[in-house]
Amino acid sequence: MLEKIQNLIDEVKALHAKNAEEAESLRIKYLSKKGSISALFDDFKQVQPELKREVGKKLNELKTLATDRINELKESFAQQQNASTGVDLSLPGTSYVCGGRHPLSIVKNDIIEIFSRLGFTVAEGPEVEDDWHVFTALNFPLEHPARDMQDTFFINTNPDLLLRTHTSSVQVRMMEKQRPPIRAVFPGRVFRNEAISARAHCIFHQVEGLYIAKNVSFADLKQTLSYFAKEMFGADTQIRLRPSYFPFTEPSAEMDVSCSLCGGKGCGVCKGTGWLEILGCGMVDPAVLEANGIDSKEYSGFAFGMGVERIAMLRYQVKDIRLFFENDVRFLQQFKSAY
Ligand code: PHE
């Protein structure tokens, strides 16, 4: 037995292979379950007890030697292959960059989420609209300046079609298809023919809100918007409603929130006033309800509309609105963990 082992040791020491396949067949010949070394381990059971120690030692020596030698052969072929293909399979892979949400989507989703807690559903309308949904049904007089070419992008081939200038058009679409009670928000992209600057863009986003039911009052509007402001900008946030004018609401107001940066004391962002304007709102004008087939004696409602860019600029201290549309990854990367 010892002699047999010694012969195999000599044999294994001299092993050679021309390629990876040959090395593998050597492994099978010596080390597989039916291989010659494994066979010796079977024979080992018959060895006389007093010899077991010596034979066992030798047998283990053979096995280690064979394993090492065959692995060595195999590795040499693997390295040769790397060298010939130029690929080192042992290198770590290149990591790829994961995308993140756009800051405007983060803010839009937050706005929707806050209103959904109050039972508001979400609806959308078309970006290419007709005059009725954007202006006429919303009580815009024919000579209103918003209808002007200066403000509105019209579609050349059809003067009745235009790019919506506000998401209030979706109020009309909602009233057409659903009877009160209505409680919904409408996020979307809007277009205005404005010179592009750090503060204005010809494309931006709004979230509109509409609530129509019996006995809806201005107090409901104020409480809803106060809740929104505190959820969005922090529990200490105060709101201020200033009288304003929109053709489709009466009375109308613009809402300011206390500047979260200086806590209302006055700073560069709020231009020393302590207040930041974030939205327009008001009670739905009875004429709008009637134009959309809703009995204004039975129902009342409120509406509001806010600019998503404006809120994102305040929240993230972005000084130039154009950054939102340039898709510069250095800018966008900063918002990766923000959702
Ligand atoms: N549509 C108005 C705007 O774009 C905002 C608004 C919406 C005002 C709803 C009142 C009610 O400025």
Side-chain angles (χ1 to χ4, degrees), residues 165-168 171 192 206 208-209 246 248-249 280-282 303-305:
T165 54
H166 56 184
T167 43
S168 301
Q171 286 190 37
R192 284 184 202 175
Q206 291 186 327
E208 187 91 6
F246 301 102
F248 39 95
T249 47
C281 60
F304 55 85

Side-chain angles (χ1 to χ4, degrees), residues 186-202:
F186 318 123
R189 191 176 288 141
V190 299
F191 309 83
R192 284 184 202 175
N193 193 358
E194 288 195 49
I196 296 169
S197 71
R199 319 198 86 236
H201 210 289
C202 57

Side-chain angles (χ1 to χ4, degrees), residues 13-122:
K13 274 185 183 159
L15 279 184
H16 275 290
K18 282 199 226 54
N19 51 40
E21 286 80 48
E22 271 191 35
E24 172 61 11
S25 53
L26 289 177
R27 188 192 66 78
I28 294 168
K29 180 172 171 204
Y30 292 98
L31 295 166
S32 70
K33 270 204 183 119
K34 295 203 171 110
S36 47
I37 294 176
S38 311
L40 285 177
F41 273 92
D42 289 340
D43 297 347
F44 181 71
K45 290 175 200 134
Q46 269 86 56
V47 170
Q48 288 153 2
E50 59 272 23
L51 288 176
K52 270 207 156 128
R53 200 181 143 86
E54 197 190 346
V55 175
K57 202 170 150 215
K58 201 85 184 155
L59 199 52
N60 278 328
E61 191 188 318
L62 167 64
K63 191 175 179 190
T64 318
L65 198 77
T67 312
D68 288 352
R69 178 66 193 145
I70 290 169
N71 282 345
E72 198 182 309
L73 287 171
K74 284 190 152 187
E75 262 166 44
S76 72
F77 292 120
Q79 273 166 18
Q80 267 177 29
Q81 198 186 14
N82 288 346
S84 63
T85 56
V87 180
D88 182 349
L89 298 173
S90 67
L91 282 177
T94 37
S95 59
Y96 59 91
V97 183
C98 272
R101 275 198 213 292
H102 192 280
L104 293 178
S105 297
I106 297 169
V107 171
K108 179 192 77 177
N109 290 342
D110 285 353
I111 297 170
I112 291 173
E113 205 268 322
I114 292 169
F115 283 105
S116 70
R117 277 184 246 152
L118 296 175
F120 283 74
T121 55
V122 185

Side-chain angles (χ1 to χ4, degrees), residues 138 140 165-169 171 190 192 204 206-210 245-249 251-254 277 279-284 302-307:
L138 289 166
F140 276 79
T165 54
H166 56 184
T167 43
S168 301
S169 55
Q171 286 190 37
V190 299
R192 284 184 202 175
F204 56 101
Q206 291 186 327
V207 176
E208 187 91 6
L210 179 67
Y245 174 77
F246 301 102
F248 39 95
T249 47
S252 304
E254 267 160 329
E277 185 196 321
L279 58 81
C281 60
M283 300 307 291
V284 181
F302 64 72
F304 55 85
M306 63 187 87

Side-chain angles (χ1 to χ4, degrees), residues 71-329:
N71 282 345
E72 198 182 309
L73 287 171
K74 284 190 152 187
E75 262 166 44
S76 72
F77 292 120
Q79 273 166 18
Q80 267 177 29
Q81 198 186 14
N82 288 346
S84 63
T85 56
V87 180
D88 182 349
L89 298 173
S90 67
L91 282 177
T94 37
S95 59
Y96 59 91
V97 183
C98 272
R101 275 198 213 292
H102 192 280
L104 293 178
S105 297
I106 297 169
V107 171
K108 179 192 77 177
N109 290 342
D110 285 353
I111 297 170
I112 291 173
E113 205 268 322
I114 292 169
F115 283 105
S116 70
R117 277 184 246 152
L118 296 175
F120 283 74
T121 55
V122 185
E124 286 182 27
E127 292 173 1
V128 179
E129 260 295 7
D130 51 29
D131 176 276
W132 170 260
H133 291 91
V134 178
F135 298 128
T136 305
L138 289 166
N139 206 29
F140 276 79
L142 264 177
E143 68 284 4
H144 195 281
R147 294 179 178 239
D148 206 302
M149 287 287 279
Q150 253 80 55
D151 290 287
T152 307
F153 288 116
F154 289 92
I155 309 292
N156 273 345
T157 48
N158 183 345
D160 191 46
L161 289 183
L162 47 101
L163 299 181
R164 67 180 178 194
T165 54
H166 56 184
T167 43
S168 301
S169 55
V170 194
Q171 286 190 37
V172 180
R173 296 216 166 252
M174 192 73 189
M175 288 186 256
E176 277 169 359
K177 76 167 203 278
Q178 192 181 312
R179 292 294 91 194
I182 294 171
R183 185 163 40 179
V185 286
F186 318 123
R189 191 176 288 141
V190 299
F191 309 83
R192 284 184 202 175
N193 193 358
E194 288 195 49
I196 296 169
S197 71
R199 319 198 86 236
H201 210 289
C202 57
I203 301 175
F204 56 101
H205 299 79
Q206 291 186 327
V207 176
E208 187 91 6
L210 179 67
Y211 181 27
I212 300 175
K214 287 182 178 154
N215 301 318
V216 177
S217 74
F218 202 92
D220 298 318
L221 167 63
K222 193 176 169 191
Q223 187 51 40
T224 303
L225 293 179
S226 169
Y227 171 80
F228 166 74
K230 287 181 198 301
E231 291 296 304
M232 191 74 197
F233 298 104
D236 299 332
T237 310
Q238 300 294 310
I239 64 162
R240 176 171 86 168
L241 291 163
R242 283 178 290 102
S244 184
Y245 174 77
F246 301 102
F248 39 95
T249 47
E250 181 59 36
S252 304
E254 267 160 329
M255 187 176 95
D256 300 339
V257 291
S258 54
C259 179
S260 50
L261 263 177
C262 61
K265 286 186 207 69
C267 67
V269 174
C270 59
K271 299 203 183 66
T273 64
W275 296 99
L276 298 160
E277 185 196 321
I278 62 156
L279 58 81
C281 60
M283 300 307 291
V284 181
D285 195 308
V288 173
L289 295 175
E290 296 294 339
N292 292 287
I294 295 172
D295 185 351
S296 63
K297 282 184 218 53
E298 199 182 348
Y299 292 104
S300 55
F302 64 72
F304 55 85
M306 63 187 87
V308 179
E309 282 77 1
R310 170 102 184 124
I311 293 176
M313 285 170 88
L314 294 174
R315 183 197 259 190
Y316 299 124
Q317 296 295 300
V318 176
K319 299 261 174 335
D320 193 322
I321 195 171
R322 289 170 288 200
L323 285 164
F324 292 121
F325 302 99
E326 280 163 1
N327 280 338
D328 185 332
V329 282

